[in-house]
Structures are given as structure tokens and as C-alpha cells.
Amino acid sequence: MKQKLISFSLNRSLMIAMVALLAMGACKSKKKAAQPEPEPAPVERVEETPAPAEAPEPTAEEVAVEKLESSFNSLTSASSPALANQSIEQTLAMFSNQDTPVLIVIHEENGIKDYDEPTTIRKYLEYLKDTKKNLNFISDIRLDANGKVSELELRRK
């Protein structure tokens, strides 16, 4: 009889515990449903400036400068004299003639520029081929009516 009483009370206890758990679970879900949701924090609206539709077209001078800088770099990194000579001929095609002046600014003060000895584009390209160093960058470029370079001004990097 004692065993029956123990098993009966154990079954009864388990049943009461299960009912209590279900009741507690149901209360929590009802409580959550009854509470209003907190209002979201106010969000500041930042007006975005519209992005430009397209970047402006580069000018003829800017395109020429990019091509020349690329040509100068490929000339200094040429693996053989034949490739360097080919690069020189391709670069000379961008100039009005092979005697186009190249001025290298060595100093500037109060708007007055001091230039290194003037040279021609052919001589400058040969110099780049021999030294394999491009120590200058293009600071000014002038194009003729045909879009070819008629004068080039360089500065030390």
C-alpha cells in the first residue's frame, strides 16, 4: 500500500508540476501580448545630396597626360632595347614632331621658373630609355589644333 501511495503521489506531483508549467508559460505569453510594444527610437533623417550623374569628361590635355605618363613608365620598364624603341616610336606619334620642346622646371620662386637645358622629346625619350628612371612628372602640356602635343613642361617628383 505504501508503494501505491508513493506512486500515486508521484504521479499526482508530476501532473501538478506539468499543469503549473503550462499555466506559467501561458501567463508569460499573455503578458507579452498584453504589453504594448515600445515605440522605436526616433530616427534622424539626413537628406542625401544626389550623386552626380556622371563624372565630367576628361579634357584632351588630361587624356594626353595620362597616355604620356603611361608611355614614360612603360619606356623605363621595357625589358629589351627593341621594346623600348617601339615604345619611343609610339610615343613620338603623340607629338606634332620629334623636335617638340621639353622644358624641365628645376626651381620656381615668385612665379619665375628656372629651367634645365631645353631638350626635345626624342632626346628626352632616349634619356628615359638609357637611365630607366622617370624622375619627372608632367606639369603643363600644350596641344596643337590637331590634338598633338606641341610643348611639354616637366617637374621633378
Side-chain angles (χ1 to χ4, degrees), residues 65 68-69 72 95 100-108 113-115 121 124 136-142 149-156:
V65 166
L68 282 175
E69 289 287 349
F72 292 165
F95 289 84
T100 299
V102 176
L103 306 171
I104 302 172
V105 178
I106 55 174
H107 182 73
E108 182 176 3
K113 297 177 183 177
D114 290 330
Y115 295 99
I121 187 60
Y124 183 71
N136 302 309
F137 67 93
I138 299 170
S139 65
D140 191 25
I141 189 169
R142 293 200 175 86
V149 179
S150 61
E151 187 178 310
L152 191 61
E153 183 178 280
L154 305 173
R155 289 183 187 262
R156 293 272 179 207

Side-chain angles (χ1 to χ4, degrees), residues 1 29 68 80-81:
M1 172 121 163
S29 63
L68 282 175
S80 70

